[in-house]
Amino acid sequence: MSTAAVELPQTSRLFWRFFCGIAARSIRRSFSTVRVLGEDPAGALDHDGPVVVYLNHPSWWDPMVCIHLARTLGRDRKHSGPIAADALRRYPMFGKLGFYGIESGLQGARTFRQVSRTLCEDPHQTLWITPEGHFTDVTSRPIELAPGLAHLARDLERAGSRARFLLKCS
């Protein structure tokens, strides 16, 4: 793996706060109930090391919910996530929220691993990843994940990272 310098996402604190407000209002207006099953969400991001949250991606609501969770549960953490490079070019505001563009193909996979691994050197980092790589029907089974998540897990384990991986699937 190349050790060349990578361009890391730069989050605008002001824009992050502004967009968190938009996400919270949108969720309140559009949902009557949000249910959390399994692990206590209040402690999910409470970890002394990087956290990788991976989830399926059935709609555009997923990033909105993740941003809202990041704001409410992970206030003291940094938040980033990969997004299709063409989507980031179309919506550059997402770059101000910590998203980093990934091209498809082998070079994109290398960039994903390098940027994600570098971000996870910070113990306060949370990565939000949709490893299916595209919108997927929640009833589709089996869930097929792109191999980047497994490679990232192996990279972090080899580096001695104390990363915690959390799963959310609908």
Side-chain angles (χ1 to χ4, degrees):
M1 173 99 18
S2 170
T3 58
V6 295
E7 185 176 335
L8 299 178
Q10 300 298 313
T11 303
S12 162
R13 290 174 98 71
L14 183 61
F15 191 69
W16 172 257
R17 286 187 191 139
F18 171 74
F19 201 83
C20 284
I22 289 172
R25 281 188 299 280
S26 296
I27 290 168
R28 275 195 305 272
R29 277 192 233 129
S30 299
F31 293 91
S32 61
T33 303
V34 175
R35 298 171 199 246
V36 177
L37 302 174
E39 184 174 347
D40 174 21
L45 298 181
D46 186 20
H47 177 66
D48 185 27
V51 175
V52 178
V53 180
Y54 59 103
L55 56 143
N56 61 338
H57 193 19
S59 77
W60 65 271
W61 277 107
D62 299 308
M64 295 293 277
V65 170
C66 289
I67 287 170
H68 182 64
L69 289 173
R71 178 186 151 267
T72 56
L73 302 178
R75 288 187 182 273
D76 298 331
R77 302 188 63 84
K78 298 174 185 173
H79 302 278
S80 300
I83 186 173
D86 61 333
L88 188 57
R89 284 189 289 272
R90 260 190 315 239
Y91 307 105
M93 67 177 192
F94 287 123
K96 295 179 180 181
L97 295 172
F99 288 93
Y100 49 102
I102 302 298
E103 299 287 350
S104 60
L106 189 55
Q107 184 55 44
R110 285 185 188 120
T111 301
F112 165 75
R113 286 175 69 185
Q114 193 171 19
V115 172
S116 299
R117 192 177 59 234
T118 302
L119 286 169
C120 284
E121 290 173 2
D122 183 337
H124 301 290
Q125 180 66 52
T126 302
L127 290 180
W128 299 82
I129 301 174
T130 54
E132 290 171 301
H134 53 83
F135 288 127
T136 308
D137 186 319
V138 294
T139 61
S140 294
R141 296 292 185 263
I143 296 172
E144 295 183 21
L145 306 180
L149 178 64
H151 288 293
L152 176 62
R154 186 185 64 218
D155 292 346
L156 294 177
E157 181 181 39
R158 285 181 179 164
S161 174
R162 296 189 51 224
R164 178 179 189 191
F165 284 74
L166 301 172
L167 167 66
K168 176 264 177 201
C169 283
S170 299

